[in-house]
Each structure stands twice: as structure tokens, then as C-alpha cells.
Amino acid sequence: MSGATESDTSALAVLTLEQKASLLSGRDTWTTQPIEDAGIRSVRMSDGPNGLRAQLNGGDALGFQPSEPSTCFPPAVAVGSSWDPELATKVGEALGREGLSFGIDVVLGPGVNIKRSPLCGRNFEYYSEDPLLAGALGVGYVRGMQSTGAGASVKHFAANNQETDRMRVSSEVDERTLREIYFPAFERIVKEAQPATVMCAYNRINGVYSSENPWLLKDVLRTEWGFEGAVISDWGAVHRPAGAVAAGLDLEMPGTRGRSIREIVAAVEAGDLDEAEVDRSVARVVKLTGLGAEGKVAVDFDAHHALARATAAASIVLLKNEATLPLEAQMRIAVVGEFARTPRFQGGGSSHVNAVRSEAFLDAATAHSASIEFAAGFTLDGRGDDLDLRGAAVAAASRSEVAVIFAGLAESDESEGYDRTTIELPASQIALIRAVAAVAPKTVVVLSHGGVVGLEGWHDDVDAILDGFLLGQAGGAAIADVVFGVVNPSGRLAETIPLRIEDTPAFGNFPGEQGHVVYGERTLVGYRWYATRGIPVRYPFGHGLSYSTFRTSGFTVTVTGDDTATVRVTVENTGTRDGAHVVQVYVDASALGTVQRSARELRAFRKVHVPAGGAVEVELELDRRGFAYWDVDLHDWVVTPGSYRVILGRDAFAVDAETTIDLVGDRINRELTMGSTAQEWFEHSVVGPVLLDTIQSDLLRAMAQPEALRMLGSLPWQKIVNLLGDSVSRDDVDTLMAASRGEGC
Ligand code: GLC
């Protein structure tokens, strides 16, 4: 679509200050201000990450008012379990096309916030507890979407990991944790896919609102990562419009009926805001008018429905299967649970889609089997007489060869805007599962939920469990495809299923109190926590079964540089069905000691499709970041010299193969000061070897002995110099400090 671009500086040059300011705050809920005589058109935006919520006449940011019928694809919680960036690309492309068909220029997704706690009400809208997996899927999604000409909006930047008090809460996070856990998905998407926009989060980070945080929006996002697009606010996230522009925010959404425009103009006129900052943001907002497509974009909703179905089927995780799935068509099947008839297939809030259609399992299953008896088992709103419903379900199960129970969370149990307080299923559902399993020859449970649900209290009573998350409008058909064996399940958990909420990393620090939430677990989020502390879980990150069996062999890790390596492995399908396996490579640097390291960090993965009886060779690169930690003194990534365990994981816990490699790593010569410790002076790679020759002192020589240094090592060098008295000259000390800076070597 034509429109002024950044290069039309002549058009911009004629804009008045007020016209420029009007471009930095939305015209209404979904559009920006046009300036016709400057050839600047309005830019239209719309939710959401798993389907368009296009409101073409006004609307709201929370999904209360109607929107145009669109395809409801599986939300991120499902796509995250597909471990398939190429699939994410296809979904992104389809969403881009549907957005363009409504005249939408920017689709507000993907959501890539890390799942810090399973209680977060919005986890359905995010991919994973792991930043590598979230980033890889987000890159795929953005590339797909932007290949159509529509723009994406990666959100919510940053450390927006709860819904409680989300508009004000301050996420208290140390820099290393931000860099290693909460930033990398955004960083990778910016560097590899250049999203048209980044949406800043509502919350504060260490006391500073994300919408007015120059370190976040300028230093990190632009200077370090090279982001070229526009930073837009989450809806209503701006508190000080002029301060936000100064900090690097380009567009406030939605508009504020002129108040923000007046504040920006006044700030410039008062000399409190540099007009160059306004011009910078104007150029970025105007650049968005270059998005869109020439002419009308047609949408094949049948093809999109088929894609939604295939995506859903590839995302389902087979958690447990004791000689039960897939079912045979002629079996007498009791289908239990209202979700089988009334599927829950998406989350609540701004991402909620007016789905063009939806398929329930019960309908889809009749295409596979003629002997199905249905019993609701429970009411979705938890009211009504569950005992009668349970009795009917037990009766149906007693007449069956297998019972398939649909359990999970109702729409009201989780949503944007609030968090959960438990991970357990409703008690009535647990009672139903146990009662049915007590009479059915075989019992399968299919779960529908956004945030993780606990399996305790019924897990051992049943024979098979499928994790169906929220699967979009075709989810019912996709579950039938897996249950009856049309599709071989290939999903893997993108989030740990813990035994208890008390075992989870954020427990005790979620959702915080009195306006602050402390990320006390630091980098040990998700599986990092359980693996490092040896805490058992019900099912680990990366877990998932198949109707096939896979064997890996020939696992090798070849060091290819000071801080890189190549992994090779052969994956063999030893089963009778074509299927897919996910090669997962974890690094364990926990023995290196410099800083606390996790016993597992996912550093490479690939989903491979292997025909029955066939084999595929996989080669994965471990780059520098696969071994690095963020050093808060150097403000940079550092690879510690030493040994690293490289693990081929069946999941984050189960080891298929492993080896240890030695890396040269980085020779870090930290500048020595009088505040540096004696140990740092003696261990310094340049100063250490010459220290005792330069400072001739028997006392210092005695201090250098291992047992003495163990006691004195933490003393600041100034104290050592004081103890040495006249036996050390200031010149010698200055010379040595200069040498630590690389001077005079
Ligand atoms: C909401 C959400 C954001 C959404 C926006 C517009 O509050 O946080 O994800 O895109 O507002 O609806």
C-alpha cells in the first residue's frame, strides 16, 4: 500500500510540531492519525497472536466488543509444544493474510514472554519457559507474517510475566537474569526477523516503567540489538507521554483525545523534550505506512482451517500411553466431559477470536467410530448437580471398552487480566476421572487448558493422557486425528508439569506484594530449577511420547573454535509408523563455578520427521551463546574457559547420550584496582605471574601460599598494601594496575 515513507523527508519537513506530535499518539483504539496533505495515511492495528480480532468500527482492547469472523489458530501454548518454527511460519503467514484482508497493517503478536510461573493467567498466549524455544518460534512466526506485507508486534517487552497488578507492578530482576532469560526471545526476533514493531509492556522493571525506560528501549533494543522498527506501547501503558518519547517510545496506543499531543508539544516548547526525538519517532511511525498490501487480499478460510488442524495435531503431547492409544474404530467408546461437546480452544481477553467455525471432538470422532456414547460428566461453570452427571458418566463408562475423558480449565479459570491460585483441576473433575477409571477397562484423559495443570490425585488411575492445551478452532478434529491414529503425536512439553505448585521456581515470589515482584529464582526458571536442584516433576520440559519408537546413535560433539561446537546424531525410527522426534541438545556448565550456572540449558533443537524404519542424520551448531553467561561487570557475554557437558536429551531430564568438551573460552583480564581482592591480583593472567617479582616482599610471598591466600584472598588490595608498608612502592602498584589494563605490557 502506498504511503509516505521515511525517505519523504520533504513531506515531514513541512509538518508543524502539533502535526508531528499527533502522529505519536493513536487516533483511536486501533488506528494512528492520518495527515492527508502530507501524504501520511492512517495505520491500522489489531490483535491478536492466534487469530485476527479485527474491530473495524471502534472496539476495545479487552475483547468485550464483537470482531470480524477470523480463523482461530492454536494459541502459543500449543504451538510452543510443536517445537516447529516452520509451522509457526505458516501460521504467521496465514495471520498476515487475514490481517491484510481487513486492511490491518500491524497484527499484535507474537507474545513471547517467558512462563515464569504456571499460575500466570496469560501463559496460554506465550510459547515456553525456555527463551531459546520461544525465540525460535517467534522468529518463524514474524518471518511468516511479514512475508505477506503485514507487520508484527512482538510483545510484551519486557519481564511481563504475570497478570496481577500488571499495569503497575515492578518486576525486580537482576541484569543477568534479564539478559539470559527474559530478553533472549525478543533479542533473537529483533536480530533475525526485524519485526515492524515491538510492544512495550505495562509493568515496571526495577522501578522504571517499560514505556519510559531508555536503557530498555534505546540502549538494549536499538543500540545493542539494532532494532529498526517502531516501539509501540501496550494499550494504556504510557504514563508520561513526553517522557516516553524521550525514552524511545514511538507510538502511544490508544490515543488520549489530544491530551498526550498537547503534553508533547508543551514539553518541546518548554525545552524539556528535544524536537529531534519527536522527529525520530515521527519517521518510524510514518515508516509503518509502508506496510500493507496493494489491493484486496483474498483469504482461503478452508485452507486456514486445515492449517489450524494440522498445527493443533502437531502440538498435542502424548504424556502417558500404557497400551491404549491409538483407539480402534470399532471399539465401544464412552466419551466423557463437556469439553468434548463444547470445546475450549482459546484464551480470554484481547486475543479472543470470533472463530469462523469450530469443531468439537464429539462430532469429529463420529467420522472415526460408530460406537460412541457421550456423557457430560460435569458442567463447565461448576454449577448444576455433578453427582447425577458423574453417575451417568460412570454408567456409560461401564458399558464401554475405553473411556475418553475430556478435562481441563474453563474459560473463567484463567485469562488475561488475572492469575490462577492453583494448578489443580477442579475437584469435581478429579472425582469424575477417578470414578470413571474405576469402572472402564481402559481410560484416556485429554486435557484442555492454557496454564499447566497438575496431574496428581488421578495420574496413576488412568492408562493414557493427551495434553491438548488450547488448540484453536480445529482442535476437536485434531484430537480425534491423534486419538484414532490418523496423526502420530509429536508434541513435546514446552513447560514443565510439576508435582506441586510449592516445587515451582517462583513459589513464594509470585505474584509479589505491595507493588513489587522479586524474581528470586533468578536464571533458574522452569526446568533449569528442577534439574539444577534435583527436584522431581511429573513430566519434564521436552517430554512427549509417540506411536513410534526412536533410537539415537552416533552422538558426537566437535569443538570448532574457542567457544563453538558442532553436534551430530542419527535418529532412527524403529517403529511401524512414520513419526517425528525432537532432538534436544542441552549444555551443563554448572561445574564451572564463575557464576551460578544451570545444570541444563537448551542450546539447540530440531524436530525431524523420520519414516518408519528410516533414519535421519542431524547436525546442530552450538554457537558462542550456547556456552556463555552474561557478565554484569563487563556488561557482555563471557565464555568461561573449561569443561562443558553437552547432553543429548530425550527431554530436560532423560539423557540419551552425553560428552564433555573443553573450551578455550575467553581470556578475561579484568582491570585491577585497589578495591580488587588479593585473590584477583594473584590470579590475574598478566599481573599474577610478575607480582612477586615486582613487589619483593617476604610477607607478600607468605600471603601467596595457598592456605594463606584462602584466608586473605578476599581482602581488598588496599589492605594488603597497607600491611606491606614500605616494602611496596606506589609506582610499582600503579605500574601493575596499568598492566592489568593492557598498558605498558
Ligand atoms: C492488551 C494486551 C495486549 C494487546 C493490547 C491491545 O491490554 O496486553 O497484548 O495487544 O492490549 O488489545
Side-chain angles (χ1 to χ4, degrees), residues 274-618:
D274 184 343
E275 188 163 359
E277 299 275 18
V278 173
D279 293 345
R280 168 217 74 200
S281 292
V282 164
R284 290 174 185 146
V285 172
V286 167
K287 191 176 171 187
L288 298 178
T289 63
L291 293 169
E294 296 296 335
K296 185 71 179 156
V297 173
V299 173
D300 182 343
F301 283 106
D302 289 338
H304 285 188
H305 184 75
L307 174 60
R309 178 169 176 171
T311 304
S315 303
I316 291 168
V317 177
L318 179 57
L319 295 175
K320 177 182 182 183
N321 189 23
E322 291 173 355
T324 302
L325 292 174
L327 301 185
E328 301 298 331
Q330 71 280 2
M331 295 175 83
R332 288 192 318 280
I333 303 169
V335 174
V336 174
E338 187 55 56
F339 290 121
R341 177 170 60 183
T342 313
R344 172 149 185 256
F345 56 84
Q346 63 175 322
S350 62
S351 69
H352 198 84
V353 178
N354 175 10
V356 291
R357 56 192 278 200
S358 78
E359 281 182 293
F361 172 82
L362 204 52
D363 301 326
T366 50
H368 296 274
S369 163
S371 53
I372 287 176
E373 182 181 357
F374 173 70
F378 55 86
T379 57
L380 286 183
D381 60 9
R383 291 197 289 268
D385 183 347
D386 283 352
L387 284 179
D388 278 352
L389 292 171
R390 193 181 311 158
V394 169
S398 61
R399 294 188 287 270
S400 76
E401 292 175 82
V402 59
V404 182
I405 306 172
F406 283 72
L409 301 180
E411 193 101 22
S412 59
D413 289 329
E414 56 183 346
S415 169
E416 175 180 347
Y418 55 88
D419 298 317
R420 285 188 293 163
T421 56
T422 176
I423 60 171
E424 305 310 332
L425 288 173
S428 61
Q429 291 187 30
I430 293 175
L432 171 72
I433 292 169
R434 303 203 65 185
V436 166
V439 301
K442 287 279 189 178
T443 303
V444 179
V445 171
V446 180
L447 295 171
S448 297
H449 60 93
V452 156
V453 291
L455 311 183
E456 304 319 299
W458 57 271
H459 173 273
D460 296 343
D461 297 2
V462 304
D463 304 285
I465 305 173
L466 279 176
D467 205 333
F469 311 108
L470 299 178
L471 292 172
Q473 65 184 44
I479 294 169
D481 289 340
V482 169
V483 164
F484 291 101
V486 173
V487 171
N488 188 355
S490 62
R492 296 291 186 276
L493 288 178
E495 184 182 6
T496 304
I497 300 179
L499 289 167
R500 312 176 313 150
I501 190 62
E502 293 82 357
D503 297 337
T504 58
F507 184 77
N509 278 319
F510 185 93
E513 54 198 35
Q514 296 182 301
H516 297 265
V517 55
V518 177
Y519 286 40
E521 74 283 357
R522 303 189 59 220
T523 59
L524 298 184
V525 174
Y527 66 87
R528 288 170 164 82
W529 172 267
Y530 306 108
T532 304
R533 290 172 175 251
I535 297 172
V537 300
R538 174 52 70 185
Y539 289 112
F541 174 87
H543 170 76
L545 302 178
S546 167
Y547 294 152
S548 301
T549 48
F550 295 93
R551 181 171 55 222
T552 55
S553 59
F555 174 71
T556 63
V557 181
T558 307
V559 175
T560 53
D562 288 355
D563 50 19
T564 57
T566 298
V567 174
R568 292 180 183 85
V569 65
T570 299
V571 180
E572 190 182 352
N573 181 339
T574 53
T576 58
R577 290 170 175 265
D578 297 351
H581 180 69
V582 178
V583 174
Q584 302 167 40
V585 178
Y586 297 86
V587 170
D588 171 4
S590 57
L592 282 178
T594 317
V595 293
Q596 180 193 51
R597 306 292 292 268
S598 170
R600 285 286 189 290
E601 293 190 286
L602 181 70
R603 291 312 197 190
F605 71 88
R606 183 160 314 142
K607 186 170 201 176
V608 289
H609 297 270
V610 190
V616 168
E617 293 194 1
V618 179

Side-chain angles (χ1 to χ4, degrees), residues 30 47 53 60-62 108 122 125 155-156 160 166-167 199 202 234-235 350 416:
W30 301 119
D47 290 314
R53 187 171 69 88
D60 67 289
L62 271 175
L108 303 173
R122 213 169 171 187
E125 208 169 328
K155 65 188 185 180
H156 309 87
N160 176 192
R166 63 172 172 159
M167 302 276 190
M199 183 190 293
Y202 285 122
D234 198 342
W235 267 236
S350 62
E416 175 180 347

Side-chain angles (χ1 to χ4, degrees), residues 662-709:
D662 292 318
L663 293 180
V664 170
D666 301 331
R667 214 173 81 120
I668 302 294
N669 284 327
R670 296 175 195 276
E671 178 184 348
L672 292 176
T673 67
M674 299 308 281
S676 304
T677 66
Q679 180 136 5
E680 286 163 351
W681 277 72
F682 277 107
E683 288 181 351
H684 196 277
S685 58
V686 173
V687 169
V690 301
L691 188 54
L692 294 176
D693 295 337
T694 308
I695 301 175
Q696 304 279 344
S697 157
D698 293 341
L699 177 57
L700 187 61
R701 196 170 295 281
M703 288 177 179
Q705 299 313 307
E707 59 281 4
L709 196 54

